[in-house]
Amino acid sequence: MSEVKKMPAHVAIIMDGNGRWAEKNKVSRVTGHNQGMLAMKEIIKKADIMGIKYLTVYAFSTENWKRSQEEVGGIFSLLVKFVGSELAELSSNNVRVHILGDYTDRVPQAAVASIEKALETTRANDGLQFNIALNYGSRAEIVRAVKKIAEQVKDGSLEPEQIADEVISANLYTGDENGNIPDPDLIIRTSGEERLSNFLLWQAAYSEFAFTDSLWPDFTPEEFENIVTEFCSRNRRFGGR
Ligand code: IPE
Ligand code: IPE
Ligand code: MG
């Protein structure tokens, strides 16, 4: 008899394939990112309806600065547009927005202002927690955590012997400062690529993975639901038996 498995509390998505979608449809890469943003809106709604507590999306990595100024500028302009058009509805749906990553470093001022508005507006909400990984890289996150921990040891508030898994977790972007987000149960990557690309390296220790060939702008709420349903039938062992 198959037991009923729990829904994932936290689903994280590597939204990949906007560029290839644009190429396929003979439009600009920024148009591809715009289409990706439309897909993201639908997935947020679906995750909320499905009762998922935490949805994290990888929107811009610390390595994505290597792209052209035009593309990078376009991505941040889309973020401003997204907040402008969606914030009221997100907030009325009780969604709380969090940012993982250093959103003040190198990020255009208009985008920083939009982010701060989204954080402020949704601060008291307690529905779906929507985490946007922005200017996020897992190695940078770990370096930052190690520095924070070293400071605590230096000022005498922490003994080296007290450094444990929980201490490291608490000092990551997913830690104390963003409400101690549980590790992702499921990480989905679109576009056929099967790698983490510097996403949640520590947090993914026991995550389940799902890969789909769909390019992100083509990813539908139905496909999302199918992947989550399939996840529910998996047997997670966490090293036990
Ligand atoms: C993902 O789509 C979005 C970001 C990285 C910002 P890509 O832009 O990486 O799309 P591909 O991989 O070039 O198709
Ligand atoms: C990962 O996608 C980053 C985001 C989805 C924001 P990339 O397209 O940047 O990753 P690589 O370069 O294919 O590994
Ligand atoms: Mg890509």
Side-chain angles (χ1 to χ4, degrees), residues 34-214:
N34 185 57
Q35 209 62 32
M37 186 181 78
L38 299 177
M40 185 179 81
K41 285 203 291 209
E42 298 307 314
I43 300 303
I44 301 170
K45 280 189 206 146
K46 185 71 181 178
D48 196 11
I49 291 166
M50 289 172 71
I52 288 163
K53 295 280 182 295
Y54 301 86
L55 178 70
T56 300
V57 297
Y58 202 4
F60 192 88
S61 77
T62 47
E63 287 72 48
N64 288 148
W65 294 108
K66 292 175 190 164
R67 300 185 182 199
S68 73
Q69 252 188 343
E70 186 192 351
E71 181 172 355
V72 170
I75 290 170
F76 287 110
S77 298
L78 282 170
L79 178 80
V80 173
K81 183 172 142 188
F82 172 78
V83 172
S85 68
E86 300 306 307
L87 183 58
E89 190 182 335
L90 285 175
S91 194
S92 73
N93 288 334
N94 204 19
V95 173
R96 182 166 176 169
V97 178
H98 284 259
I99 301 291
L100 312 179
D102 188 353
Y103 68 84
T104 57
D105 181 43
R106 294 178 77 176
V107 174
Q109 196 43 50
V112 175
S114 288
I115 290 164
E116 282 172 350
K117 185 168 177 218
L119 295 176
E120 194 49 51
T121 308
T122 65
R123 197 174 294 283
N125 293 349
D126 59 4
L128 172 73
Q129 181 167 325
F130 178 52
N131 307 303
I132 308 173
L134 189 92
N135 194 13
Y136 173 88
S138 202
R139 287 188 170 182
E141 175 184 44
I142 292 169
V143 167
R144 176 174 172 271
V146 170
K147 284 183 183 161
K148 289 207 290 176
I149 292 167
E151 285 298 335
Q152 293 161 46
V153 170
K154 195 171 146 193
D155 73 19
S157 62
L158 185 74
E159 293 297 326
E161 296 70 34
Q162 293 174 301
I163 300 172
D165 282 14
E166 298 72 35
V167 175
I168 294 176
S169 292
N171 284 283
L172 298 171
Y173 285 116
T174 45
D176 292 345
E177 66 197 278
N178 285 307
N180 284 312
I181 301 165
D183 289 342
D185 299 293
L186 171 63
I187 298 178
I188 300 170
R189 184 167 187 154
T190 57
S191 86
E193 308 297 347
E194 302 189 351
R195 55 177 171 268
L196 276 173
S197 302
N198 205 9
F199 187 51
L200 303 177
L201 302 182
W202 171 273
Q203 298 89 335
Y206 272 101
S207 299
E208 296 290 326
F209 290 89
F211 299 106
T212 167
D213 287 337
S214 301

Side-chain angles (χ1 to χ4, degrees), residues 15-21 29 33 59-60 64 67 71 75:
M15 309 185 291
D16 198 13
N18 295 348
R20 278 161 284 169
W21 185 93
R29 290 185 66 90
H33 293 306
F60 192 88
N64 288 148
R67 300 185 182 199
E71 181 172 355
I75 290 170

